[in-house]
């Protein structure tokens, strides 16, 4: 409901008392007028209702197998989908959505994760790698494909500076559209908002799902629609192998009139820590491993297959009409709450407390879709995440996975690859971002690769 501007707003203190936030009333009283006004303005914007009602996983009683296009089915129908998708790319109906607003806590660097120099020979960053995939696609098509890049308040300024210093890595200013996501306050176990310092709430970016609201609020979704963009290929900045030039994905979305396509992988093992694609009550859902019991994730059906078989590598295609439909209906993605050790300002000092952080998840869009499908992909071709500084899902594992994929592409064009242990191949996306681009561009001059190298 619109507020009548003639009616004065109730005092913030009244609002805070109603919400059980008396500690903030006391804190406001200790602040200088300017700091008090700033904090009051922020507190007025908080959606207390959504904060106090975090999302709950769907009831798993009406479980059915999700509709997933398997690798076997792709063999038969993939060529037709790819033709359709290629047509959509050629007509300028596809844009790329790259989310990069996360805090990168596990990687443990000061700068945004996208600035991490990942590639083994060139030292290219994750940002450059993802940007060059879009440049390469645009060159192939002969027109600029928009790249929508979501940052958060902490990563926005350094991300803009990073791209500006590199002249957008070849993306035109019109093509690269950086927009910033919102934040959500953290709370203690009783739901009281925590502070980061005097006059400042402890907040975090509102999750990858924040891209839905931010796309709408920044005006980017309307702009895409006006430009005739029908499909958004969604990737995350930390997946080195995330494809953006994917006619089969887009073509499947077009052919099936789907609102969402979710790429899936058979889980590497029953306990793999991934989101699981499930169908409940006729709608697709992704349920995080944290929301399933260890018995559930290991359960097998009569065919011996895991019931929760499909893991999500966080790769999607969304129809922009779908996003616009939800935006018009005022849809908001729910918050998920998780218990975390947090650095909060308590009793005049910053110290570690156990609190609750809330985030929106992109995959909560799935249950809203009337038509939603899974698409099986090969892990070794599309998924090389950088989450941790060392060990599993680290820069080291990601570049090894990328090198192994480039080696297979090179072998497919007739190159003999015999690398010594530890040696890595790096292939610039500007030379080839897909196997089929490599086939078209490869001039056959190199016949053998026996040491680590950069091909560009
Ligand atoms: P993760 O959930 O893996 O989080 O994000 P992260 O921030 O990269 O790392 P940790 O958990 O703090 O260690 C997966 C993708 O979603 C983006 C990230 O930038 C990454 O591309 N993301 C995450 C956002 O864009 N915004 C968020 O609020 C959270």
């Amino acid at each position: 409901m619109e507020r009548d501007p003639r009616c004065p707003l109730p005092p913030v203190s009244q609002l805070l008392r109603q919400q059980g936030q008396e500690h903030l009333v006391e804190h406001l009283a200790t602040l200088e007028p300017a700091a008090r006004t700033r904090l009051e303005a922020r507190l007025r914007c908080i959606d207390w209702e959504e904060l106090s009602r975090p999302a709950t996983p769907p009831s798993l009683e009406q479980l059915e197998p999700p509709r997933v296009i398997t690798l076997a089915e792709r063999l038969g129908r993939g060529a037709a989908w790819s033709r359709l998708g290629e047509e959509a790319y050629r007509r300028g109906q596809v844009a790329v959505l790259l989310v990069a607003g996360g805090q990168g806590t596990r990687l443990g660097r000061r700068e945004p994760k996208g600035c991490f120099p990942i590639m083994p020979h060139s030292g290219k960053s994750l940002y450059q790698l993802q940007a060059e995939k879009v440049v390469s696609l645009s060159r192939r098509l002969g027109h600029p494909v928009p790249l929508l890049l979501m940052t958060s308040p902490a990563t926005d300024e350094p991300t803009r500076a990073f791209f500006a210093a590199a002249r957008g890595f070849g993306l035109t200013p019109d093509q690269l559209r950086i927009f910033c996501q919102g934040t959500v306050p953290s709370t203690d176990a009783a739901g009281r908002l925590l502070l980061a310092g005097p006059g400042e709430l402890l907040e975090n970016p509102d999750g990858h799902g924040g891209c839905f609201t931010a796309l709408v609020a920044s005006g980017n979704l309307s702009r895409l629609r006006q430009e005739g963009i029908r499909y958004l290929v969604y990737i995350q900045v930390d997946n080195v192998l995330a494809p953006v030039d994917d006619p089969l994905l887009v073509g499947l979305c077009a052919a099936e009139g789907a609102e969402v396509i979710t790429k899936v992988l058979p889980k590497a093992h029953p306990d793999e820590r991934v989101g699981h694609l499930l169908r409940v009550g006729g709608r697709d859902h992704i349920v995080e491993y944290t929301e399933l019991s260890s018995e559930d994730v290991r359960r097998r059906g009569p065919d011996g297959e895991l019931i929760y078989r499909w893991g999500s590598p966080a790769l999607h295609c969304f129809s922009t009409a779908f996003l616009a439909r939800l935006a018009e209906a005022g849809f908001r993605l729910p918050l998920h709450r998780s218990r975390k050790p947090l650095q909060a300002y308590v009793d005049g000092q910053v110290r570690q407390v156990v609190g609750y952080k809330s985030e929106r998840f992109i995959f909560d869009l799935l249950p809203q879709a009337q038509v939603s499908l899974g698409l099986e992909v090969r892990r070794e071709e599309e998924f090389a995440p950088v989450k941790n500084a060392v060990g599993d899902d680290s820069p080291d594992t990601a570049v090894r996975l990328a090198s192994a994929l480039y080696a297979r592409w090179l072998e497919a064009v007739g190159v003999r690859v015999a690398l010594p242990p530890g040696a890595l191949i790096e292939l610039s996306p500007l030379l080839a971002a897909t196997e089929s681009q490599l086939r078209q561009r490869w001039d056959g001059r190199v016949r053998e690769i026996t040491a680590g190298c950069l091909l560009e």
Side-chain angles (χ1 to χ4, degrees):
M1 197 174 71
E2 287 280 300
R3 191 178 68 81
D4 181 344
R6 288 163 306 181
C7 300
L9 284 170
V12 170
S13 53
Q14 184 183 329
L15 184 84
L16 292 173
R17 287 204 178 89
Q18 279 163 2
Q19 301 300 333
Q21 308 286 334
E22 286 81 359
H23 68 299
L24 291 178
V25 179
E26 284 164 30
H27 184 68
L28 280 166
T30 66
L31 298 175
E32 296 292 322
R36 190 182 322 136
T37 308
R38 252 195 328 272
L39 181 56
E40 283 184 352
R42 175 65 188 113
L43 289 165
R44 282 199 189 277
C45 297
I46 287 170
D47 185 335
W48 300 97
E49 168 68 19
E50 69 166 12
L51 207 56
S52 62
R53 280 185 213 282
T56 45
S59 141
L60 301 179
E61 274 154 26
Q62 298 165 281
L63 209 59
E64 312 155 52
R67 166 99 170 93
V68 172
I69 308 295
T70 58
L71 293 176
E73 202 171 344
R74 283 175 61 154
L75 276 181
R77 301 172 65 195
W81 289 326
S82 295
R83 273 196 300 279
L84 202 60
E86 182 61 18
E87 222 175 282
Y89 274 100
R90 295 221 163 266
R91 290 189 177 159
Q93 295 174 344
V94 184
V96 175
L97 171 57
L98 169 66
V99 294
Q103 295 172 301
T105 329
R106 288 168 285 173
L107 192 60
R109 307 266 297 198
R110 284 179 74 90
E111 75 275 17
K113 203 194 261 188
C115 302
F116 183 81
I118 182 79
M119 296 315 279
H121 300 296
S122 66
K124 274 180 198 175
S125 60
L126 283 163
Y127 273 147
Q128 181 169 1
L129 183 77
Q130 308 295 11
E132 286 186 351
K133 290 181 194 173
V134 180
V135 171
S136 175
L137 168 65
S138 303
R139 287 188 187 157
R140 180 175 89 67
L141 298 171
H143 62 77
V145 173
L147 172 61
L148 287 295
L149 194 173
M150 184 176 80
T151 58
S152 56
T155 65
D156 190 69
E157 199 277 317
T159 299
R160 287 177 194 271
F162 195 71
F163 274 85
R167 300 212 182 135
F169 298 109
L171 297 162
T172 66
D174 199 45
Q175 186 179 14
L176 175 63
R177 304 172 190 177
I178 301 179
F179 63 105
C180 188
Q181 68 181 112
T183 56
V184 202
S186 300
T187 65
D188 66 10
R192 283 183 302 234
L193 304 198
L194 292 168
L195 292 167
E200 198 192 339
L201 294 180
L202 180 64
E203 303 205 53
N204 56 271
D206 66 347
H208 33 64
C211 71
F212 168 66
T213 330
L215 261 183
V216 177
S218 62
N220 275 297
L221 183 61
S222 315
R223 179 172 173 196
L224 291 173
R225 301 262 294 151
Q226 278 157 14
E227 291 168 331
I229 302 289
R230 295 193 181 177
Y231 307 100
L232 264 183
V233 173
Y234 168 94
I235 63 168
Q236 301 191 332
V237 73
D238 55 11
N239 180 0
V240 171
L241 294 182
V244 304
D245 185 354
D246 195 344
L248 191 147
L249 169 72
V250 172
L252 174 63
C253 196
E256 296 287 324
E259 292 185 314
V260 185
I261 304 288
T262 300
K263 289 185 174 176
V264 290
L265 311 162
K267 282 195 290 180
H269 54 85
D271 299 316
E272 194 182 2
R273 301 167 135 220
V274 284
H276 295 66
L277 180 68
L278 314 175
R279 198 160 178 83
V280 183
R283 293 287 172 133
D284 280 353
H285 290 257
I286 289 183
V287 178
E288 279 288 17
Y289 67 94
T290 45
E291 294 179 330
L292 295 168
S293 69
S294 51
E295 294 79 56
D296 275 344
V297 296
R298 293 179 199 168
R299 252 170 58 202
R300 291 182 187 271
D303 56 359
E305 289 282 3
L306 288 171
I307 300 204
Y308 304 108
R309 177 176 176 208
W310 299 112
S312 159
L315 296 164
H316 300 272
C317 178
F318 295 106
S319 114
T320 54
F322 167 56
L323 300 180
R325 169 168 79 74
L326 294 183
E328 274 155 34
F331 175 75
R332 270 166 85 81
L333 284 165
L335 291 172
H336 290 254
R337 196 151 61 184
S338 55
R339 198 162 177 266
K340 300 251 166 173
L342 298 170
Q343 293 294 321
Y345 178 73
V346 187
D347 298 333
Q349 55 174 321
V350 175
R351 55 185 161 91
Q352 185 160 310
V353 299
V354 175
Y356 289 81
K357 182 175 159 179
S358 300
E359 287 185 295
R360 304 177 206 283
F361 294 158
I362 184 73
F363 46 72
D364 280 335
L365 289 171
L366 268 66
Q368 303 303 319
Q370 273 145 12
V371 183
S372 155
L373 280 120
L375 172 66
E376 183 180 358
V377 296
R378 291 192 176 84
R379 180 182 294 264
E380 65 280 10
E381 290 179 359
E382 306 206 4
F383 193 46
V386 180
K387 300 290 181 193
N388 307 306
V390 290
D392 288 346
D393 297 342
S394 63
D396 188 42
T397 57
V399 293
R400 276 195 275 130
L401 287 166
S403 171
L405 180 65
Y406 303 146
R408 286 193 295 279
W409 290 357
L410 287 158
E411 282 165 349
V413 295
V415 178
R416 193 180 82 84
V417 181
L419 289 180
L424 295 168
I425 300 175
E426 178 183 339
L427 182 60
S428 167
L430 299 178
L431 171 62
T434 62
E435 182 178 339
S436 81
Q437 256 179 26
L438 187 68
R439 279 181 198 281
Q440 283 158 17
R441 295 198 180 145
W442 190 247
D443 61 11
R445 251 181 295 168
V446 177
R447 295 173 173 249
E448 195 173 69
I449 294 180
T450 54
C453 62
L454 167 64
L455 298 164
E456 52 182 353

